[in-house]
Amino acid sequence: MKENTYNPSYIANLGKDIPAGLVVFFVALPLCLGISLASGAPLFSGVVTGIVGGLIVAWLSGSEMSVSGPAAGLTVIVLNGIETLGSFESFLLAVVLAGAIQLVLGFVKAGVIGLYFPSSVIRGMLAAIGLILILKQIPHFLGADEDFFGEMEFFQPDGRNTFSEIGFALSGLQLGALIVGAISLVILLLWDNPKLKRFSFFKLVPGALIAVVFSIIINLIFKNYFPALAIAPSHLVSLPVVDGIGDLQKELRFLSLEKLTDPSLYVVAFTIAIVASLETLLSVEAVDKLDPHKRRSNTNRELRAQGVGNMVAGFLGGLPMTAVIVRSSTNVAAGGQTRVSAFVHGVFLLLSVLFLASLMNQIPLSALAAVLLVVGYKLTKPSMFKAQFKLGFEQFFPFIVTVLAILFTDLLIGICVGLAVGVFFILKANYKSPYFYQREDSSDHQTIRLRLSEHVSFLNKASIILTLDKLPANSHVIIDGENSEYIDYDVLEAIQEFRKTAHERNIKVDLLNVPDVSVLEMH
């Protein structure tokens, strides 16, 4: 698969990437800790994975905007894997083997699977994640949630569900946490005001940093002057405090080869590799939709990067990792431009462990919940639902089914349901060869004509994208849809994105009788 055609300048974008990385760090830290807790793993293991995801995977990744770390969707697999293998140290060996499997998947180009996710399903996933972030953060915002920060499933371990948890939180809210959350939310909303963005201070300093600083100060005031409002320790960040190399060695766990001949080890490793790879491909495809530069990630390279990341994390005592949509979408929302923002988040995670644990443990979760509430709203704005509805029933129905399925189950189950519905609509269309390729060479330039066939369905998307990627530079490309009765929306979107970036390879593009996606969305 072709690399991104947009070549960003890492130095030029530091002014945006460093603040974005800091915001991602604030979100990632409690997520890493919460996922470790929910997985039945040592608390430090999730942070190890977050650090590896930032410092190593960010540079190997096939995506400029994705952020890798421990995923809430793997908690059940981790919990069951540790129980099956008898110890966390034996489970770490399964993580290393899973990374090796992902490395092989990347080299055999299994990442092409990512091209077969319909846009309606991917947008449904983003909208669902946004809704879940809002619903799941409300209890933390109120200071009355007993579940881990970052928990995403509808049915919770405590017997409650996403909706009943909000009712429970309302009946037992903590006023101090609510005040801190509300002030943090106001700061974040004010910081996003376009009028304030005209001033360099508001551009360079992320609102999340100001919200976090104020939340710590307010809680200290509560402790000293209004003890009844002081936020309980269970609703603050809880990072293990490391005082020197000795403490660090106590926190780290290292793999055991004891189960090397146990068949169950390889079952667990294969399960981690497949589920983590699918979640990664889904997240990367989704973040490509959010990317303002419309860059398309190299999914095979991403699988290889995840493989290396999981092998390193397993050796260092970390949980399995994926590219994670919550962190990635936070990165986009915070204004990140390149992979440097993911690297910066990893640097901050490492610094927090080594030097800043006591300070980090003063951060109220309600302030971080406010950050995720804003991210959630940006992912699931009403305008997204309206735009999908205008695209017609065949686009809207898989979208809304995906939203509801993810909301009431979990990410992977919901995606599978959405894909099943999407495939049903795809199979209704006749499947034929998507185009006829005609090449005309002359002395001064090369003209390539792609005549689209009568019916071009989503099944043709991968073929067309790969063909467009391989078109030679300095050529004239004519995409002709004169004979087409039906062109799938996803194919039209791929063609339009190619046209927007073709100039970077000095390719002139003419579209004949090919509908404009922006016009379709308007009407």
Side-chain angles (χ1 to χ4, degrees):
M1 183 178 293
K2 191 178 175 66
E3 292 288 340
N4 295 330
T5 54
Y6 174 80
N7 295 313
S9 170
Y10 297 137
I11 300 298
N13 285 298
L14 284 178
K16 294 180 179 179
D17 284 332
I18 292 177
L22 182 60
V23 175
V24 176
F25 156 70
F26 284 134
V27 170
L29 180 60
L31 289 178
C32 291
L33 296 169
I35 291 167
S36 297
L37 192 64
S39 301
L43 198 60
F44 205 65
S45 60
V47 182
V48 169
T49 300
I51 293 171
V52 173
L55 299 186
I56 298 176
V57 177
W59 294 112
L60 300 176
S61 173
S63 170
E64 289 288 342
M65 298 302 295
S66 70
V67 183
S68 297
L74 295 177
T75 52
V76 175
I77 293 173
V78 174
L79 197 62
N80 292 339
I82 295 172
E83 184 179 347
T84 300
L85 298 175
S87 70
F88 182 67
E89 288 76 9
S90 295
F91 176 77
L92 291 176
L93 180 58
V95 176
V96 173
L97 293 174
I101 294 170
Q102 287 184 295
L103 204 56
V104 172
L105 290 174
F107 281 116
V108 300
K109 303 188 184 301
V112 72
I113 295 170
L115 296 176
Y116 288 94
F117 297 127
S119 289
S120 57
V121 175
I122 296 299
R123 289 197 176 98
M125 182 185 83
L126 289 171
I129 293 294
L131 286 173
I132 291 172
L133 282 177
I134 292 171
L135 295 171
K136 290 291 187 181
Q137 295 312 310
I138 289 174
H140 290 293
F141 188 80
L142 300 175
D145 199 328
E146 298 172 357
D147 295 298
F148 74 93
F149 194 90
E151 181 262 333
M152 301 288 280
E153 285 75 22
F154 181 73
F155 294 105
Q156 301 173 173
D158 58 13
R160 291 187 285 269
N161 61 49
T162 301
F163 297 110
S164 63
E165 185 68 46
I166 296 175
F168 171 79
L170 288 170
S171 64
L173 66 85
Q174 193 176 34
L175 184 58
L178 177 59
I179 293 172
V180 166
I183 292 173
S184 301
L185 187 59
V186 169
I187 291 172
L188 291 166
L189 294 176
L190 286 174
W191 226 259
D192 275 345
N193 190 311
K195 293 180 180 178
L196 294 180
K197 288 295 183 183
R198 292 179 297 178
F199 302 99
S200 58
F201 176 78
F202 292 94
K203 287 182 180 179
L204 294 175
V205 180
L209 174 60
I210 303 300
V212 166
V213 170
F214 267 85
S215 71
I216 294 174
I217 294 172
I218 293 168
N219 194 39
L220 287 174
I221 293 172
F222 288 164
K223 285 181 179 179
N224 290 313
Y225 300 103
F226 308 98
L229 294 177
I231 299 174
S234 60
H235 296 294
L236 301 174
V237 170
S238 181
L239 182 64
V241 178
V242 176
D243 292 323
I245 299 298
D247 281 356
L248 184 61
Q249 289 176 335
K250 290 178 183 177
E251 293 290 345
L252 290 175
R253 302 289 185 88
F254 298 100
L255 61 83
S256 167
L257 301 178
E258 183 182 356
K259 298 285 184 177
L260 196 58
T261 57
D262 188 342
S264 60
L265 171 72
Y266 300 94
V267 173
V268 172
F270 187 77
T271 303
I272 294 171
I274 296 304
V275 175
S277 297
L278 285 174
E279 188 158 337
T280 290
L281 293 175
L282 286 165
S283 297
V284 167
E285 187 74 11
V287 81
D288 283 354
K289 297 289 184 192
L290 298 174
D291 184 3
H293 297 291
K294 297 303 175 187
R295 291 165 288 193
R296 194 162 53 77
S297 301
N298 185 324
T299 50
N300 296 316
R301 178 177 169 181
E302 183 65 33
L303 286 180
R304 296 194 294 271
Q306 294 295 322
V308 172
N310 274 317
M311 292 176 75
V312 174
F315 277 118
L316 295 179
L319 294 174
M321 74 170 62
T322 72
V324 190
I325 188 59
V326 174
R327 295 171 183 80
S328 302
S329 55
T330 301
N331 188 23
V332 176
Q337 299 294 308
T338 75
R339 63 186 73 237
V340 171
S341 56
F343 174 75
V344 167
H345 120 278
V347 171
F348 279 120
L349 281 175
L350 180 61
L351 293 176
S352 70
V353 168
L354 297 179
F355 308 110
L356 304 173
S358 298
L359 177 61
M360 294 298 106
N361 289 341
Q362 301 298 317
I363 301 176
L365 292 181
S366 59
L368 301 179
V371 175
L372 287 179
L373 284 173
V374 173
V375 173
Y377 176 75
K378 288 180 178 179
L379 287 175
T380 189
K381 288 181 178 179
S383 58
M384 173 185 278
F385 289 81
K386 187 177 179 181
Q388 283 297 124
F389 183 77
K390 286 184 176 180
L391 292 174
F393 183 75
E394 291 187 351
Q395 287 292 321
F396 182 73
F397 190 69
F399 166 82
I400 202 66
V401 167
T402 303
V403 171
L404 295 174
I406 293 176
L407 188 60
F408 288 102
T409 56
D410 60 35
L411 179 63
L412 290 177
I413 293 175
I415 284 290
C416 289
V417 172
L419 280 174
V421 174
V423 168
F424 170 77
F425 283 102
I426 291 167
L427 294 179
K428 286 177 64 179
N430 293 326
Y431 177 66
K432 292 184 179 181
S433 177
Y435 60 84
F436 300 95
Y437 188 99
Q438 184 180 352
R439 183 168 170 172
E440 303 166 6
D441 292 325
S442 64
S443 58
D444 56 342
H445 71 281
Q446 186 180 79
T447 299
I448 297 170
R449 184 182 294 270
L450 297 181
R451 296 182 185 273
L452 300 180
S453 60
E454 186 177 0
H455 290 276
V456 186
S457 75
F458 174 76
L459 292 173
N460 306 126
K461 176 184 174 184
S463 173
I464 288 176
I465 286 178
L466 294 175
T467 298
L468 295 176
D469 277 351
K470 292 176 182 177
L471 291 174
N474 308 310
S475 59
H476 178 203
V477 178
I478 301 171
I479 303 177
D480 189 354
E482 182 178 4
N483 298 324
S484 300
E485 290 185 7
Y486 171 79
I487 305 176
D488 186 85
Y489 175 81
D490 289 288
V491 175
L492 291 174
E493 188 178 58
I495 292 172
Q496 295 291 349
E497 289 181 1
F498 166 73
R499 185 176 68 168
K500 290 177 184 177
T501 59
H503 65 88
E504 295 171 1
R505 289 190 283 155
N506 196 29
I507 296 176
K508 179 184 177 183
V509 181
D510 287 329
L511 302 183
L512 303 179
N513 301 298
V514 177
D516 191 328
V517 171
S518 59
V519 175
L520 286 176
E521 290 175 344
M522 289 176 61
H523 300 288

